[in-house]
Structures are given as structure tokens and as C-alpha cells.
Amino acid sequence: MFPGASLFQPFILHLALLFAAVQPDPTLVIINTRIADGTGGPIVSGKVVVVSGDTITKIADQKGWKTPTGVREIDGTGLVLSPGFIDMHNHSDSKILDKPGAESQIRQGITTFVGGQDGGSQVPLAPFFEKVEKTGIALNMASTVGFGSLRSKAMGDDWRRAARPDEITKMKILLDQDMKDGAFGLSSGIEYEPDSYSTTDELVEVAKTIKPYGGYYVSHVRDEGEHVLDSWRELMTIAERARIPAQISHIKFGSVSAWHQFPKYTELMKQADAKGLKITADCYPYNFWHSTLRVLVLSRKYDDLGEVKRGVDDNGGPENIILTDYKPDPSYLGKSLAQIAKEKNMDPYQLYMQMIRDTDPQTHKGEEDMESILGISMQEEDIKGFYKDPRVMVSSDGAIDGGHPRGAGTYPRFLGRYVREYKVVSLEEGVRKITSLPASVLGLNDRGRIADGMKADLVLFNPDTVIDRSTIKDPTAGPEGIPYVIVNGQVAVDKGAATGARAGRVLRKGK
């Protein structure tokens, strides 16, 4: 030892401890894979991804790499490694306490979902967050606050009108507390009750509450059919007046009368950009939707035969309206309105009116989900057009064990059909749309990309075989080509099977 070396020993020990803190021991290593880092940049080979605990701690050169003894190594030969998929519009919060394993979600690569959609959420959110954390869940959950839920809290059963100033104040107080407790923004479903009775002014006033928190407004707009362009203009108005970003939920031209208007959408987005508005959208990769019988007649004149006929026909006609739930008579499930009418020897429009009466929420107070339908009324070319827009990301609008195949198949379908088969976007851009793009809207700085220091939410998929297998008859069937899903550093899907790991977390805005 050289003279005075002992003086350096504390310093050397400090450096050693600091290095150990910066470079913790690996707990998982992924080798022989191609990396799509989520930014849209080129796919990179010849790298090893090292995970320690819940974090990506190193991206090393494959050449010369040796995984430490006792550390799990996943061989990604033939696979692409991407950040975990972030689902910006998801209804799994409705069943996450009953089915915290959320297998239909994680098997398709979703590692984070955003609940509280279409104007419906728990209010207040904090107690719900606590229950979720106590239960433990398989994937991460974030939430917006439902405008309709706020309306119901502030207005009670008297919501078939515009809110008064004192009621708007109540809504703002409730929303402010939920934003403090970690909500990411405000959602509305103004095609649905009770949101549909609100005015634009009311929505603007409530939405202003989220601006100090950096939140965003997301909306199932007032009309996705004949008046869809006006509905998008209303969303832009709310964004402009409240000075907040806004997102169009499950964007679509949802009825026959709305088809072939894509150039008008493009022009509208140019106008938004010219005004400096931050408008984004999410889209699911199916040409049929899942909702309620009531959305077919937006005038709410359910006893007007002319209005009913126009609404049903504009959504594909009786043969394209398929029941996925009907509590008064479960035998209707899987049948179209036309089939049921034929069996009952009834006019399908009269049958619709009867079904509306038999599921009236005022008659069945306290009973939820009395009925639901699939509507086949969208054009494939419009879906492709939306996905070509860099501002449009992917969402499922699905749920745990939901009745629409999107609840189990959205992401493998997008990657398998729209990326690989249809070549609507490149694989790199497709991965960006399901990772860093939604992360940027949420303001998640530690997810959505593969880089040192990012949380280890990761998906390994085979770009040559990934595909959805869920159908209308079997909506929860698992996909193919997604063998591994990792949530916060723990393997949640191993060789295609859910492991039961509950490494998911409640994500809170700014916390």
C-alpha cells in the first residue's frame, strides 16, 4: 500500500457504494431480441436489456454479455421487445376488484390502463384507489374523473336539465379533490345520460378545474354519427375555452350518415393545429362498436316510430344490431334485432321500443347493465385513415371479460392486421402509438419508452405471428404471438400464460 492510501479508503468505499446504488444487481435479463423503444425510431438489435427490481437499469451490448448466475434470462429470439402497451380508454376499473388478475388485459400486452371513461367513475376516487392497492392488481391503473358521476353527485336524480351555478360549483369542488388525489383529467360521455343534458358552457366551467393540475379532457362526444363533426367542434371549443388538451374517445364515423367524411376530419384537425390546440384521439381496430340500445336514438324520443326507424337504420339496420346483454330475456344474447323480431313475429322497430320500455333505468333503479349491443356500422377505410394520423393512438374501449372482442384482442389485432397485414403504419410507428404517445398525453415520464431508468413495463411479441383470436362468440379468447409481458419488473405473462403476479400499481398524476 502506498503512503497515505488509508486516507483514500473512505472515499473509495463511498464510490463503491455509490456505484452499487447506481448499478443494482439484475433480477431479469432479456437477450437476443430486437428493441422497438417506443419513440418511433429504428428497431435496434444486438442489445441486452437489464432489469433490476421494477426498473430498466442497463441496456448493454449483447457481444460479450454474460448473465449473472441465478438471474432469470428470457431469450427473445425472433421477438420484438417494446414498452408495455398503455390503453387510454379502458373499462377494466369496473371489475378490477373482482378480477384483479385481469387476464384478458395483460395477455394482450396492456401494462397500464386508464379508467373512469365516458363520464363514469368512482367519486371520490381516493377510497377506490386504496381498495385497489390493498387488493393488488396485475397491471397499472390510472383514472380520469367522470363528468356524469359528478353531475349525479351534484344534482341527484334531477339531472334531465342544464346544471345550475351552485351545482356546477359542487362539481368543481368534487373534481378538484379528485385531481389532488391523483386523477389524470376529466372524462365525459355526452352521448349518454346524464351527461347528454349538459351544455357546452357547463362542460367548460367544470373542465377549467383540471388546468392547474396539467390534466386533459377526454370525451365520448355528443354524436358519433350524423352530427359527429359538430361534436368534434364542441370538444375543440371546450379545449380552447378551458385552455387544456383534449382527446376524442374511440374516434369514429359511427353511422351510415357519417361515412366518407374523412377529408373533413383532416381539415378540422388542421384548424385545431392552427389555433395551437392540443387535440389527440384514440381508436379501436374494429368496425363495430359496443354500447347500449339507447344510443341509437339520440333525440331520446324512444316512443316515436319515425325516430326509432331512422336511428336503427342509420346504425346498420336491425340485422346489424346484436344483443350482448339483455337482463329481461337472456335468450336474446348473440342475436340480432332482426332475428329476435322474426322469432317473436314482431316489427323490429316496435320490438326496439318495447325493449327500451323493459329496460328503463327509472323503473330498474339500482340495477346496472340491463342491456348492451354491438353495432356494425363503421367503414374499414376510415379506421385506417385515423391510424395514419400521428395524433391518433390505439385504445381498446374494452373491459375484463367484456362482451366485445376488443376487450381481449385490441392490441394483437392492431399489430397483426393494421401494422403487418394492411401496412397502415410501420412497426416502429405502431409501437409508438401504443406506448410513448399515450404516455405523453398522460405525462408519464417513467413509462412508455425503453431506456435506462424507465419502469420495466415490457412486452415481447412476435411481429410475424401476433394476432387476435377473440370473436363475438368467444370475446375473451387469448391472442397469439405475445409470449411475455412484464409489469414493474415482474413477469405477468410467461410463454403466453398469465402468472398471477400482481405487480401493478395505482398511478397518480404528479405523484
Side-chain angles (χ1 to χ4, degrees), residues 341-382:
K342 185 176 181 180
E343 290 175 3
K344 298 177 74 66
N345 196 28
M346 286 183 69
D347 173 77
Y349 308 104
Q350 292 287 350
L351 172 63
Y352 171 89
M353 296 164 70
Q354 181 62 52
M355 292 167 75
I356 288 291
R357 288 191 292 271
D358 290 345
T359 58
D360 187 338
Q362 293 298 308
T363 305
H364 299 276
K365 284 186 178 181
E367 297 182 56
E368 297 181 355
D369 303 322
M370 289 291 294
E371 47 83 10
S372 64
I373 58 173
L374 295 177
I376 305 171
S377 62
M378 288 133 67
Q379 294 283 288
E380 190 66 56
E381 287 307 308
D382 288 332

Side-chain angles (χ1 to χ4, degrees), residues 42 51 81 127 168 185 213 236 258 300 309 317 319 345 377-378 446 461 486:
V51 174
L81 178 68
I168 292 174
Y213 300 95
M236 290 167 55
R300 312 300 177 200
K309 189 176 189 307
E319 63 277 6
N345 196 28
S377 62
M378 288 133 67
D446 59 354
F461 66 92
I486 298 159

Side-chain angles (χ1 to χ4, degrees), residues 142-425:
S143 185
T144 55
V145 183
F147 174 68
S149 298
L150 295 173
R151 268 191 132 240
S152 295
K153 285 277 187 180
M155 303 173 71
D157 292 334
D158 184 23
W159 42 256
R160 285 179 170 80
R161 57 177 174 80
R164 298 188 301 264
D166 63 308
E167 292 165 335
I168 292 174
T169 298
K170 289 179 183 177
M171 286 186 249
K172 290 168 72 77
I173 291 170
L174 291 168
L175 176 57
D176 186 72
Q177 185 59 57
D178 277 342
M179 294 302 295
K180 287 177 179 174
D181 290 333
F184 282 79
L186 174 70
S187 82
S188 70
I190 45 179
E191 192 172 33
Y192 301 126
E193 299 172 345
D195 304 41
S196 59
Y197 291 88
S198 64
T199 65
T200 303
D201 288 344
E202 179 183 331
L203 284 157
V204 169
E205 277 306 304
V206 176
K208 286 178 180 178
T209 308
I210 69 176
K211 179 175 173 51
Y213 300 95
Y216 74 109
Y217 171 67
V218 57
S219 180
H220 176 137
V221 294
R222 206 173 288 274
D223 186 346
E224 294 182 321
E226 183 179 3
H227 302 291
V228 66
L229 294 168
D230 287 337
S231 296
W232 291 340
R233 291 187 185 98
E234 181 183 33
L235 177 134
M236 290 167 55
T237 297
I238 293 166
E240 184 174 17
R241 289 175 56 189
R243 295 184 296 143
I244 53 174
Q247 178 149 323
I248 302 167
S249 288
H250 41 62
I251 192 168
K252 63 174 72 74
F253 290 113
S255 68
V256 176
S257 58
W259 290 353
H260 312 305
Q261 297 193 77
F262 198 83
K264 294 181 180 179
Y265 160 80
T266 301
E267 182 59 34
L268 201 58
M269 292 302 104
K270 286 181 181 178
Q271 294 172 20
D273 292 341
K275 290 183 176 183
L277 301 178
K278 187 177 180 180
I279 305 297
T280 52
D282 57 79
C283 179
Y284 52 75
Y286 296 85
N287 66 351
F288 54 97
W289 43 262
H290 186 207
S291 191
T292 71
L293 284 164
R294 283 164 171 74
V295 302
L296 299 177
V297 181
L298 294 181
S299 67
R300 312 300 177 200
K301 297 178 180 178
Y302 303 121
D303 57 352
D304 184 318
L305 184 59
E307 287 287 291
V308 167
K309 189 176 189 307
R310 187 179 70 84
V312 170
D313 290 349
D314 197 31
N315 282 278
E319 63 277 6
N320 285 315
I321 306 300
I322 300 167
L323 273 293
T324 57
D325 198 6
Y326 191 71
K327 293 289 170 50
D329 190 340
S331 70
Y332 289 4
L333 271 60
K335 298 177 181 178
S336 70
L337 199 60
Q339 285 177 290
I340 300 167
K342 185 176 181 180
E343 290 175 3
K344 298 177 74 66
N345 196 28
M346 286 183 69
D347 173 77
Y349 308 104
Q350 292 287 350
L351 172 63
Y352 171 89
M353 296 164 70
Q354 181 62 52
M355 292 167 75
I356 288 291
R357 288 191 292 271
D358 290 345
T359 58
D360 187 338
Q362 293 298 308
T363 305
H364 299 276
K365 284 186 178 181
E367 297 182 56
E368 297 181 355
D369 303 322
M370 289 291 294
E371 47 83 10
S372 64
I373 58 173
L374 295 177
I376 305 171
S377 62
M378 288 133 67
Q379 294 283 288
E380 190 66 56
E381 287 307 308
D382 288 332
I383 298 171
K384 292 177 180 178
F386 288 129
Y387 280 143
K388 289 178 182 177
D389 186 342
R391 82 185 72 230
V392 178
M393 59 206 76
V394 181
S395 71
S396 73
D397 194 13
I400 298 170
D401 298 341
H404 192 298
R406 66 194 179 195
T410 287
Y411 290 89
R413 182 180 182 86
F414 172 72
L415 291 169
R417 300 193 186 280
Y418 291 83
V419 174
R420 182 179 67 242
E421 295 179 14
Y422 304 153
K423 294 180 172 41
V424 174
V425 294

